[in-house]
Amino acid sequence: EKALQGLELLGRLKEENGTQIKVIRSKRNLLDVVISRYKHKGNKGNIHAHCRKGDEKCVQQHMKASSGFVLPTRRLLSQMKELNDMEMRIDRLLSKMKVP
């Protein structure tokens, strides 16, 4: 949702100023996103999304959190559909704004 809000703001700037907007966008595998969110949520937010270079303690926390957990599948497809819908809304908005 924050991404959509940011794009809407860019759209208003483009309309008001006629500024050309270019966006570099990277999409992650949706299953990877769900697994990552579950891993971080399961550790009560104690695991940062990224480790600093050389932070072995952080790396070990990630390794521990990434092994031996069971991903619940009850909502897996609906979670992936929600993420896909969000990606599609962003794609449509960028297309509507004629952002390359």
Side-chain angles (χ1 to χ4, degrees):
E1 290 302 315
K2 288 182 181 182
L4 286 171
Q5 292 170 351
L7 286 174
E8 288 169 357
L9 174 62
L10 287 175
R12 287 195 299 268
L13 289 172
K14 181 178 181 177
E15 289 174 11
E16 293 172 8
N17 301 326
T19 305
Q20 183 182 17
I21 298 170
K22 294 182 181 179
V23 175
I24 297 173
R25 186 162 175 244
S26 175
K27 295 181 183 181
R28 282 176 62 194
N29 175 300
L30 299 179
L31 180 57
D32 180 52
V33 173
V34 172
I35 291 170
S36 181
R37 287 180 177 180
Y38 180 77
K39 180 177 74 172
H40 292 284
K41 183 179 176 185
N43 284 284
K44 298 178 176 75
N46 293 333
I47 296 191
H48 298 287
H50 305 281
C51 295
R52 292 179 188 226
K53 186 176 181 177
D55 187 347
E56 286 302 315
K57 182 179 177 185
C58 179
V59 171
Q60 290 305 316
Q61 287 175 327
H62 273 265
M63 296 294 286
K64 183 177 177 185
S66 296
S67 59
F69 73 85
V70 177
L71 181 69
T73 58
R74 186 175 53 88
R75 290 201 58 240
L76 182 63
L77 290 178
S78 64
Q79 288 173 323
M80 291 177 66
K81 183 179 180 334
E82 287 172 21
L83 290 168
N84 187 61
D85 290 347
M86 181 185 69
E87 292 287 348
M88 297 298 286
R89 286 193 318 253
I90 292 170
D91 287 343
R92 284 191 299 272
L93 183 56
L94 289 171
S95 178
K96 180 181 172 183
M97 293 169 39
K98 297 182 171 106
V99 173

